[in-house]
Amino acid sequence: MGDIGALSSFLVSAVGLAVPLVLAALGETVSERAGVINIGLEGSVIWGALGGALGALAAGPYAGLAAGALAGGMAALLFAVFAVWLNTNQIITGTAVTIGSLGFTGAVFQSRFGVTGLALELPTVPAWEVPLLSRIPALGPAFFDQAVTVYLAYALVPVLGWFLFRSRWGLVLRAVGESPDAAHASGVPVARTRMLAVVFAGLMAGVAGAHLSLVHTGTFAENMSAGKGFIAIAVVVLGRWSPKGVVAAALFFGGAEALQFALQAVDADLPYPLFLALPYVLSLAALAGWFGRARAPEGLALPWPR
Amino acid sequence: MSTTTLRTRPPLTPALTAATALLATLAVAAALLALGGYSPGDAFAALFRGAFGSWDRFVSFTLVRATPLLLTGLAVAFAFRARVWNIGAEGQLHAGALAGVAVAVALPGTPGLILIPATLLAAAAAGALWASVPAAMKTGMGVGEVITTLLMNFVALFMAQFLVQGPLRESRGVFNQTDEIPAAAHLPDLIPGTRLHLGFLIGVLIAVALWLYLTRTPGGFRLRAVGASPRAAEVSGRFRAKPVVWLAFLTSGAIAGLAGGVQIAGITHRMYENLSPGWGYTAIAVALLARLNPLALVVTAIVFGALSAGGGAMQRDAGVPEVWVRGIEALVILAVLTVDRSWQALADRGSRG
């Protein structure tokens, strides 16, 4: 495949598949840095997709993005009320939010649109072409002729990098994640910080979901999150809890998926599920320390106060 | 000083907690159904009829659907007892089902007395093997099991896809599924004339065995001690946590793997993509409602089996989409957590005076 057209379309596909992962994983990075792992992220993604669809039908695609963010944030708020405020087990609570979200989004969708079997047609978010940059061969169309959600992802990487590692607020947030007791002793409101971090992650996962329905597919289908929220959690690990790492990891996951589609089109007999499994195996390897030390925040997934 | 060390008795008996949680779930579900424009009474009645309406509905549907939930629920509960957060039952189940089918298909002409145990043992071994990866990472490198078990689920799903599309694909080559396992490998019916197979009894026997182990043996005491406080157990110098963590992982993985083996030997008789509708995750709700008690798990698995069996009837007779069942499962988990925390808070307040 020396063909630049093929490379270009592979990159377009890879970036399109990676962006929802980047958005959700950036949010989850902030949440995990504050010590909360939200397995309910998948729930925020599917609510984001449905909220996006309903919002877009009511008031256009940009309202849809906002509605998706809000819907994802609400699901995360529910999680936070239990896991942070009531201090319930994060893993069990997150599982409940994911199971319930997949169920109730299906219920809302069916009661609103019935079970006609017809695909829903949604107004999609238009692509914005960046002058000049979008003309770069191969890279241009993939990176600089995309919807606003893609540019949001670009902007957030340095912003969150600065926030987490250079700002006072980021220091406080990381203290809450590493040692909630010490943070508490120095006067930091641990629970409130965690609540905010979790809801931020939910908003981001909601945008990721809205990207799926309003940018990537232009439709909504039950269970269309298809594990994206879970993958985002793996992306955070592979990206070693840093925004830059998360982007690289998400591009890798997206690339593996895009490659799988491309290979399927060329030769149906290739064992493409193995390509899909590869990023997960590498995430495990990353955790095992194959690429240097990947350390989770000390207080991750632990209830506080104990 | 922590109040938990002072309290000798749980503030509310497990059965009362579960009953309160179920009632709360019913109330919230009824409110949501009414909000959605459905009649809660009709929905619950239809669900109940679908699950318990006749002997055949109960045995061939509710109990059959309860079987994989019972086994995966036991797997989850045993691990959670040791404070090993194995959320990888889904992957371990798939690994077990694959190994079970592979063994059964590879040994045609073997009598059932050998083939059935071989199939089930292969399934259990594969499940344990799948769990050994996160176990090794936790004990050897200190990597938390929540993320690793979750990652292993995806690896198992894609491996299953790969195997049923390639090396284990049926010889007809039409669908992405394996060949049917030989008839000798089919689990015998537990009650003639119904679809209920030996797997349910296996689940009940394992529940009893786990309960005896946890409550009546030194090993079970050790496991519960490590689960209650891994650090205290180490510091006391009497227990080492690592062997207990290994035991919890391997037992849990083996039982989850067995769930996969039982499902293919008892019901589907072959393996295909997406064998499980998420039993490994629902199992967490089943185990939690049972307060991680293996005997109580037999009951809660039947409750969730009934939800699953009644969902279709609810859709058909009351017009409530079957997906509501998943929502209700989530409500059960949240209700148990809430009831738990509320009573604990009340008890703490009481003991502080």
Side-chain angles (χ1 to χ4, degrees):
Chain A
M1 269 202 288
D3 187 4
I4 202 149
L7 176 66
S8 177
S9 68
F10 165 75
L11 282 176
V12 169
S13 160
V15 171
L17 290 162
V19 160
L21 297 178
V22 173
L23 290 167
L26 282 176
E28 180 66 10
T29 301
V30 172
S31 170
E32 292 194 15
R33 281 285 181 178
V36 185
I37 182 168
N38 182 3
I39 306 275
L41 205 64
E42 177 78 6
S44 284
V45 175
I46 192 69
W47 276 115
L50 180 64
L54 295 175
L57 286 174
Y62 291 104
L65 287 181
L70 205 64
M74 294 295 281
L77 181 63
L78 179 73
F79 168 82
V81 163
F82 281 88
V84 178
W85 189 51
L86 287 175
N87 208 7
T88 57
N89 181 294
Q90 294 177 11
I91 308 311
I92 295 170
T93 311
T95 309
V97 169
T98 287
I99 294 176
S101 299
L102 292 174
F104 283 124
T105 49
V108 170
F109 175 70
Q110 287 189 21
S111 72
R112 174 82 159 71
F113 301 103
V115 228
T116 53
L118 279 175
L120 190 64
E121 270 197 46
L122 299 172
T124 53
V125 180
W128 292 347
E129 198 176 328
V130 181
L132 296 178
L133 289 178
S134 61
R135 308 267 189 80
I136 302 171
L139 300 178
F143 291 97
F144 300 108
D145 187 10
Q146 295 274 17
V148 61
T149 44
V150 178
Y151 302 122
L152 175 69
Y154 295 167
L156 275 169
V157 176
V159 169
L160 286 178
W162 172 83
F163 169 79
L164 281 173
F165 303 112
R166 295 274 177 275
S167 79
R168 207 191 114 67
W169 285 102
L171 185 67
V172 166
L173 183 114
R174 285 184 294 130
V176 165
E178 294 289 344
S179 173
D181 285 332
H184 175 68
S186 62
V188 174
V190 172
R192 201 190 308 158
T193 308
R194 288 189 162 185
M195 284 275 221
L196 287 173
V198 169
V199 171
F200 173 73
L203 292 170
M204 297 293 296
V207 178
H211 176 97
L212 290 179
S213 56
L214 300 180
V215 179
H216 199 63
T217 61
T219 187
F220 177 86
E222 288 179 53
N223 301 322
M224 77 181 289
S225 51
K228 288 273 190 293
F230 289 134
I231 299 173
I233 291 170
V235 165
V236 174
V237 174
L238 192 59
R240 297 205 226 163
W241 293 272
S242 94
K244 267 184 267 173
V246 156
V247 172
L251 279 172
F252 180 65
F253 271 85
E257 207 180 338
L259 189 63
Q260 174 254 138
F261 285 126
L263 289 178
Q264 244 182 313
V266 178
D267 179 358
D269 285 338
L270 280 170
Y272 68 84
L274 294 184
F275 287 94
L276 290 175
L278 189 64
Y280 296 94
V281 175
L282 284 176
S283 296
L284 284 163
L287 279 170
W290 284 14
F291 316 121
R293 192 96 183 89
R295 196 183 62 83
E298 275 303 316
L300 188 62
L302 298 176
W304 186 91
R306 296 193 195 204
Chain B
M1 181 182 291
S2 159
T3 48
T4 39
T5 52
L6 298 174
R7 204 168 53 231
T8 50
R9 208 159 53 82
L12 196 60
T13 65
L16 257 174
T17 307
T20 315
L22 278 182
L23 276 178
T25 303
L26 277 183
V28 175
L32 288 175
L33 280 167
L35 204 67
Y38 305 103
S39 156
D42 290 354
F44 292 151
L47 194 137
F48 189 82
R49 271 198 311 278
F52 302 106
S54 69
W55 173 246
D56 188 58
R57 287 301 306 179
F58 177 62
V59 175
S60 291
F61 289 86
T62 295
L63 291 186
V64 166
R65 303 238 173 136
T67 302
L69 291 172
L70 172 57
L71 285 164
T72 49
L74 289 169
V76 167
F78 191 76
F80 280 19
R81 269 295 180 92
R83 210 179 279 200
V84 165
W85 303 112
N86 175 20
I87 49 174
E90 185 79 358
Q92 291 142 18
L93 178 144
H94 276 84
L98 283 167
V101 165
V103 164
V105 168
L107 300 172
T110 315
L113 266 179
I114 298 168
L115 194 53
I116 290 176
T119 303
L120 297 183
L121 280 176
L129 185 72
W130 212 250
S132 70
V133 175
M137 289 180 74
K138 183 181 173 83
T139 53
M141 310 166 192
V143 180
E145 70 276 25
V146 170
I147 295 173
T148 51
T149 50
L150 189 64
L151 292 174
M152 289 296 286
N153 284 346
F154 287 93
V155 179
L157 287 177
F158 291 126
M159 192 185 65
Q161 262 185 31
F162 164 66
L163 288 175
V164 302
Q165 288 174 11
L168 288 180
R169 192 158 192 242
E170 62 173 356
S171 32
R172 284 188 306 161
V174 180
F175 297 111
N176 286 336
Q177 57 182 22
T178 65
D179 278 322
E180 196 174 326
I181 58 174
H186 296 188
L187 293 182
D189 288 343
L190 201 55
I191 300 173
T194 71
R195 291 168 62 227
L196 190 66
H197 51 86
L198 190 66
F200 184 74
L201 182 64
I202 295 176
V204 173
L205 292 178
I206 292 179
V208 174
L210 290 183
W211 181 78
L212 287 174
Y213 177 76
L214 284 169
T215 58
R216 298 282 186 274
T217 69
F221 176 68
R222 196 157 53 230
L223 185 125
R224 285 183 294 136
V226 169
S229 175
R231 211 163 284 167
E234 286 271 1
V235 170
S236 78
R238 289 206 274 171
F239 313 122
R240 294 204 310 121
K242 271 185 192 177
V244 172
V245 170
W246 268 104
L247 175 82
F249 261 117
L250 294 183
T251 310
S252 179
I255 299 171
L258 186 64
V262 158
Q263 193 63 19
I264 57 105
I267 296 289
T268 66
H269 300 152
R270 59 170 95 234
M271 178 70 187
Y272 38 80
E273 291 173 33
N274 304 321
L275 174 78
S276 154
W279 290 313
Y281 300 109
T282 305
I284 295 174
V286 177
L288 198 66
L289 186 63
R291 318 314 328 283
L292 310 185
N293 177 330
L295 290 184
L297 229 145
V298 177
V299 179
T300 60
I302 293 174
V303 169
F304 278 82
L307 269 178
S308 164
M314 191 172 73
Q315 173 149 6
R316 203 174 47 247
D317 300 346
V320 179
E322 201 173 346
V323 287
W324 274 80
V325 166
R326 304 235 74 186
I328 293 173
E329 285 174 13
L331 290 178
V332 172
I333 303 183
L334 294 181
V336 174
L337 293 173
T338 312
V339 171
D340 239 19
R341 296 311 291 194
S342 322
W343 281 101
Q344 209 170 318
L346 278 178
D348 285 355
R349 201 163 301 159
S351 64
R352 268 179 213 143

Short mmCIF file of all heavy atoms in Angstrom, two decimals, chain B residues 140 281 284:
data_model
loop_
_atom_site.label_atom_id
_atom_site.label_comp_id
_atom_site.label_asym_id
_atom_site.label_seq_id
_atom_site.Cartn_x
_atom_site.Cartn_y
_atom_site.Cartn_z
N GLY B 140 2.71 -10.40 42.01
CA GLY B 140 4.11 -10.23 41.65
C GLY B 140 4.54 -8.79 41.42
O GLY B 140 5.69 -8.44 41.68
N TYR B 281 -20.94 -9.71 34.32
CA TYR B 281 -21.19 -8.41 34.96
C TYR B 281 -22.44 -8.47 35.85
O TYR B 281 -22.45 -7.97 36.96
CB TYR B 281 -21.32 -7.31 33.91
CG TYR B 281 -20.09 -7.15 33.06
CD1 TYR B 281 -20.07 -7.53 31.72
CD2 TYR B 281 -18.91 -6.65 33.60
CE1 TYR B 281 -18.93 -7.40 30.94
CE2 TYR B 281 -17.76 -6.51 32.84
CZ TYR B 281 -17.78 -6.89 31.51
OH TYR B 281 -16.65 -6.77 30.75
N ILE B 284 -22.11 -9.67 39.37
CA ILE B 284 -21.74 -8.79 40.47
C ILE B 284 -23.00 -8.40 41.25
O ILE B 284 -23.01 -8.39 42.48
CB ILE B 284 -21.01 -7.54 39.92
CG1 ILE B 284 -19.68 -7.98 39.28
CG2 ILE B 284 -20.76 -6.52 41.02
CD1 ILE B 284 -18.94 -6.88 38.57
#
